[in-house]
């Protein structure tokens, strides 16, 4: 996994914290579907409601695509949160756009992929958030099964879990993110969202999220 630019990573993290797209509450942890207790909840869809933040994220995702995947011929969003981000990127680059469902539509054509399927077309996949990478890589495989050549993926934010890095490496999929958990922590501290004691707990969560139980 690559971070597109360290300075941009810090700026994106600061903006996501400011609009509360990233929420930190280690004293009252969130519970993920996996059962993990988490001090962080990240909902990048909120950025769509803030034009300045939306534009900043869009412009830098576009730069990431142009820089890392210059041969791109189409953009594919991962349903659902990757759809609006992908559409914004495709529009900026004047490229075809399509999106990948989590499961086939239950009626009509029962499509898994919505949009024109062009075998051999070089596509970049867009996600908003990477946790373990499982659902994101499933979308990649669905695109490959349909005949696309997947160049890689761009995303707004990643927790940077080792399992995600391993999953993307095993799948041989290049991932480029605008920001990550490590870039967010100093921004949260500098802007008084957390103190030094909270920071230590947040660092511990990142090391072993499955056994972390919050601040005691």
């Amino acid at each position: 996994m690559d971070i597109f630019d360290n300075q941009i990573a810090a700026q994106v993290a600061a903006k996501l914290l400011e609009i509360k797209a990233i929420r930190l509450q280690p004293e009252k942890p969130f519970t993920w579907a996996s059962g993990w207790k988490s001090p962080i909840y990240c909902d990048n869809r909120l950025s769509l409601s803030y034009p300045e933040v939306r534009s900043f994220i869009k412009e830098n995702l576009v730069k990431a695509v142009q820089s890392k995947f210059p041969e791109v011929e189409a953009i594919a969003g991962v349903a659902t949160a990757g759809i609006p981000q992908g559409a914004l990127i495709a529009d900026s680059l004047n490229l075809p756009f399509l999106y990948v469902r989590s499961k086939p539509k239950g009626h009509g054509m029962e499509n898994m992929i919505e949009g024109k399927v062009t075998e051999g077309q070089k596509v970049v996949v867009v996600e908003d958030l990477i946790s373990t990478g499982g659902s994101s890589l499933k979308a990649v495989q669905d695109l490959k099964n349909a005949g696309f050549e997947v160049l890689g993926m761009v995303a707004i934010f990643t927790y940077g879990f080792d399992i995600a890095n391993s999953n993307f490496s095993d799948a041989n999929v290049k991932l480029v993110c605008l920001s990550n958990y490590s870039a967010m922590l100093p921004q949260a501290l500098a802007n008084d969202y957390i103190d030094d004691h909270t920071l230590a707990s947040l660092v511990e969560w990142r090391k072993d999220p499955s056994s972390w139980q919050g601040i005691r």
Side-chain angles (χ1 to χ4, degrees):
M1 183 212 60
D2 292 338
I3 292 299
F4 176 55
D5 179 276
N6 289 332
Q7 184 175 355
I8 291 169
Q11 292 174 305
V12 168
K15 292 178 186 294
L16 294 176
L17 284 163
E18 182 180 0
I19 65 171
K20 295 183 170 57
I22 291 178
R23 291 177 177 268
L24 300 171
Q25 52 180 63
E27 300 86 356
K28 189 180 179 182
F30 303 97
T31 302
W32 286 0
S34 62
W36 286 2
K37 297 294 183 182
S38 170
I40 180 173
Y41 184 77
C42 184
D43 182 4
N44 294 323
R45 289 167 290 199
L46 274 174
S47 67
L48 298 166
S49 298
Y50 295 83
E52 181 184 347
V53 178
R54 181 180 70 214
S55 294
F56 185 79
I57 288 173
K58 176 193 71 175
E59 289 163 7
N60 284 292
L61 284 172
V62 166
K63 289 176 184 176
V65 171
Q66 290 175 316
S67 172
K68 302 296 184 178
F69 310 106
E71 320 108 278
V72 61
E73 296 173 339
I75 300 294
V78 179
T80 59
I83 294 175
Q85 302 294 348
L88 288 168
I89 295 169
D91 188 61
S92 293
L93 293 172
N94 195 32
L95 290 174
F97 175 71
L98 53 140
Y99 69 88
V100 187
R101 292 176 173 274
S102 58
K103 58 183 179 181
K105 187 165 61 175
H107 59 277
M109 297 292 290
E110 299 187 349
N111 291 337
M112 191 71 177
I113 296 170
E114 299 290 359
K116 184 180 179 182
V117 174
T118 305
E119 290 196 20
Q121 194 170 44
K122 297 175 180 177
V123 65
V124 171
V125 184
V126 179
E127 264 285 24
D128 74 323
L129 175 67
I130 303 294
S131 52
T132 64
S135 60
S136 306
L137 290 169
K138 180 182 178 300
V140 168
Q141 190 58 53
D142 290 334
L143 287 162
K144 289 181 177 179
N145 291 344
F148 289 95
E149 180 182 344
V150 178
L151 299 179
M153 182 180 296
V154 295
I156 299 172
F157 190 86
T158 177
Y159 297 116
F161 293 137
D162 290 340
I163 184 63
N165 295 334
S166 176
N167 286 340
F168 275 88
S169 178
D170 290 346
N172 195 29
V173 175
K174 183 177 179 63
L175 171 64
V176 180
C177 297
L178 293 189
S179 191
N180 64 2
Y181 191 76
S182 296
M184 180 275 298
L185 290 179
Q187 295 300 313
L189 186 64
N191 290 286
D192 296 325
Y193 294 102
I194 58 173
D195 57 21
D196 288 329
H197 176 62
T198 306
L199 175 63
S201 181
L202 292 173
V203 169
E204 287 305 309
W205 174 78
R206 174 60 187 78
K207 291 178 183 176
D208 188 8
S210 63
S211 63
W212 183 89
Q213 292 297 316
I215 289 181
R216 297 172 181 171

